[in-house]
Amino acid sequence: MAEEPESVLQLPPSTAVGGEGLTEISPETVTPEPPSAAVSPGSEEPTGDTKKKIDILLKAVGDTPIMKTKKWAVERTRTIQGLIDFIKKFLKLVASEQLFIYVNQSFAPSPDQEVGTLYECFGSDGKLVLHYCKSQAWG
Amino acid sequence: MTSGVKHDFYNWKKKTLSFNMEEDEFFSEKTFQYYCVEFIKHSQQINDGWEWKTSKDCSDGYMCKTHFQIKNGTVGSHPGTSACIQTCLPTEEALELPLDDFEVLETAAASEVIKYEYHVLYSCSYQVPVLYFRASFLDGRPLTLKDIWERVHECYKTRLLQGPWDTITQQEHPILGQPFFVLHPCKTNEFMTPILQNSQKIKRNVNYITSWLSIVGPVVGLNLPLSYANTTFQGERNGD
């Protein structure tokens, strides 16, 4: 699985809309939606030992559209649900479509699970690989 | 390995690994039971409380677990509350409580404890596992369908409210004959298929039950510990 030589984009913080903490390195634009997660306002990504953000690599499963930007720096406290909401908006999914996120390509962490914890358990090579899949799960 | 030997080995594997998802056209009851057993093995390792129960005539069975969910409520500061708090707490503590201060011991006064029972059964008609569950307060009072809906996780509520009758309904437990709530299985294949196809692609056999339960469980308050994620792949296949 070769990694694309893409820049790492920051997920927009909850307190600002496309504002503080958002460092866009690539020319692609990010949908400026404020997801729900705890983030310290006004902080740029710290480069010290205590990284508040972790790198996530998103991979599509099945017929799910592939995100143009796959690598993201996400606050450790971001929940799976927060990440799901973000990807849904990024992919412009309709309300009736459900999005699932998996670790290990097969296991869906509960929505309240923090990505920081998942990184500790399943991360490797400095990143957490998450697979995502859309589905009409109910109805 | 010469190609001849490889071929024989592959055929042998095909015959013995009868639960192999690649070969099975459908998720059979036998497959269901196999994956439940594997799931329970891990549950026992981490004391997660799942058990296998066989029906009286031993023709089929199901997997079940009881779970107590404690929710701390908050006590608002309106006038009537002090009396309520004082009756809940032991007398000595109540006397020490200033009447106009409502930073109460939340656990004592306002906890809600609900006993959930989760049962995983096999549906012959849909050929998928189905999640049955029931819930009651500690005094034995069962939760109503409305109570259940209210407790569904926020992130699923929108979809649920669009068509509650499609998603959670009340039905008779096929083996126990008692009323249970059921998470409707009609869409199970839809969300399981991509995972299974992907597992075929990467040549790893996924535990259907573990994957499935990790997806549907949270809808009704059942969250699998993360260690199950390391057990989703069963019987690693060596590359042929």
Side-chain angles (χ1 to χ4, degrees):
Chain A
M1 294 173 200
E3 281 184 31
E4 290 85 354
E6 286 178 59
S7 325
V8 176
L9 284 201
Q10 313 279 322
L11 236 66
S14 55
T15 50
V17 174
E20 24 194 13
L22 179 68
T23 29
E24 285 190 45
I25 306 159
S26 88
E28 296 177 44
T29 49
V30 175
T31 317
E33 294 289 347
S36 56
V39 156
S40 45
S43 62
E44 303 218 307
E45 182 180 359
T47 48
D49 291 329
T50 49
K51 268 178 70 172
K52 291 204 185 96
K53 298 197 180 192
I54 54 141
D55 287 345
I56 290 183
L57 181 63
L58 295 173
K59 296 193 168 191
V61 174
D63 297 332
T64 314
I66 300 172
M67 290 174 79
K68 281 198 150 163
T69 309
K70 299 179 183 58
K71 274 184 91 171
W72 295 89
V74 184
E75 318 83 64
R76 286 174 178 269
T77 52
R78 178 76 58 114
T79 61
I80 283 291
Q81 189 50 46
L83 195 56
I84 287 175
D85 291 341
F86 176 78
I87 299 174
K88 279 177 83 166
K89 285 174 179 147
F90 195 87
L91 294 178
K92 297 184 173 44
L93 297 188
V94 299
S96 63
E97 291 173 301
Q98 197 97 7
L99 191 93
F100 297 101
I101 287 184
Y102 302 100
V103 292
N104 226 3
Q105 300 191 65
S106 57
F107 183 90
S110 54
D112 298 329
Q113 195 67 246
E114 292 185 358
V115 297
T117 311
L118 295 177
Y119 176 78
E120 297 305 323
C121 298
F122 305 103
S124 66
D125 299 329
K127 65 182 185 299
L128 173 68
V129 177
L130 295 176
H131 286 73
Y132 64 93
C133 185
K134 77 164 183 180
S135 166
Q136 311 244 170
W138 290 285
Chain B
M1 261 184 156
T2 63
S3 58
V5 175
K6 270 172 83 170
H7 189 66
D8 288 339
F9 181 58
Y10 182 63
N11 281 334
W12 171 81
K13 281 182 102 175
K14 265 171 78 169
K15 274 190 275 190
T16 52
L17 299 178
S18 56
F19 54 82
N20 189 328
M21 292 304 296
E22 263 190 54
E23 309 302 332
D24 278 347
E25 298 274 320
F26 61 96
F27 182 73
S28 67
E29 178 145 21
K30 185 175 170 191
T31 310
F32 164 77
Q33 289 180 5
Y34 172 79
Y35 285 133
C36 283
V37 166
E38 292 300 308
F39 179 90
I40 289 171
K41 277 183 189 168
H42 184 71
S43 167
Q44 286 168 343
Q45 284 173 355
I46 62 170
N47 248 341
D48 195 32
W50 286 90
E51 292 180 319
W52 179 261
K53 304 266 188 190
T54 320
S55 61
K56 282 205 164 72
D57 60 2
C58 295
S59 58
D60 47 19
Y62 59 93
M63 204 170 73
C64 69
K65 171 182 168 163
T66 299
H67 167 74
F68 290 89
Q69 194 180 81
I70 301 165
K71 219 175 22 171
N72 286 335
T74 47
V75 180
S77 52
H78 16 265
T81 323
S82 67
C84 163
I85 293 167
Q86 285 179 13
T87 54
C88 291
L89 295 172
T91 338
E92 312 83 65
E93 290 186 45
L95 287 175
E96 287 173 43
L97 260 185
L99 287 174
D100 53 5
D101 181 63
F102 292 98
E103 284 173 23
V104 189
L105 309 163
E106 290 178 311
T107 48
S111 289
E112 177 187 78
V113 182
I114 297 178
K115 175 183 161 193
Y116 282 89
E117 267 182 77
Y118 298 103
H119 291 211
V120 173
L121 280 84
Y122 179 71
S123 161
C124 296
S125 40
Y126 288 95
Q127 292 178 344
V128 291
V130 189
L131 183 59
Y132 285 74
F133 62 102
R134 61 182 171 187
S136 56
F137 297 100
L138 284 185
D139 60 6
R141 232 182 340 129
L143 268 70
T144 62
L145 192 52
K146 181 168 174 289
D147 292 329
I148 295 289
W149 282 338
E150 281 168 6
R151 284 162 178 78
V152 166
H153 196 286
E154 277 310 313
C155 59
Y156 305 106
K157 266 191 171 151
T158 331
R159 172 61 206 103
L160 204 64
L161 290 171
Q162 281 170 14
W165 304 107
D166 292 334
T167 318
I168 297 179
T169 55
Q170 198 157 16
Q171 285 184 32
E172 191 180 278
H173 190 289
I175 295 175
L176 299 177
Q178 295 161 20
F180 270 72
F181 298 112
V182 186
L183 202 52
H184 209 280
C186 59
K187 295 290 177 183
T188 300
N189 273 322
E190 244 190 80
F191 61 79
M192 286 306 295
T193 301
I195 303 175
L196 299 174
Q197 287 175 343
N198 186 62
S199 78
Q200 282 180 26
K201 229 171 61 173
I202 60 174
K203 292 197 187 328
R204 299 177 80 181
N205 202 29
V206 69
N207 184 321
Y208 190 114
I209 292 295
T210 309
S211 278
W212 165 80
L213 201 50
S214 75
I215 297 168
V216 300
V219 179
V220 292
L222 173 63
N223 295 309
L224 294 184
L226 285 178
S227 65
Y228 280 103
N230 290 320
T231 69
T232 42
F233 294 115
Q234 312 283 300
E236 280 269 47
R237 297 184 51 190
N238 299 316
D240 290 304

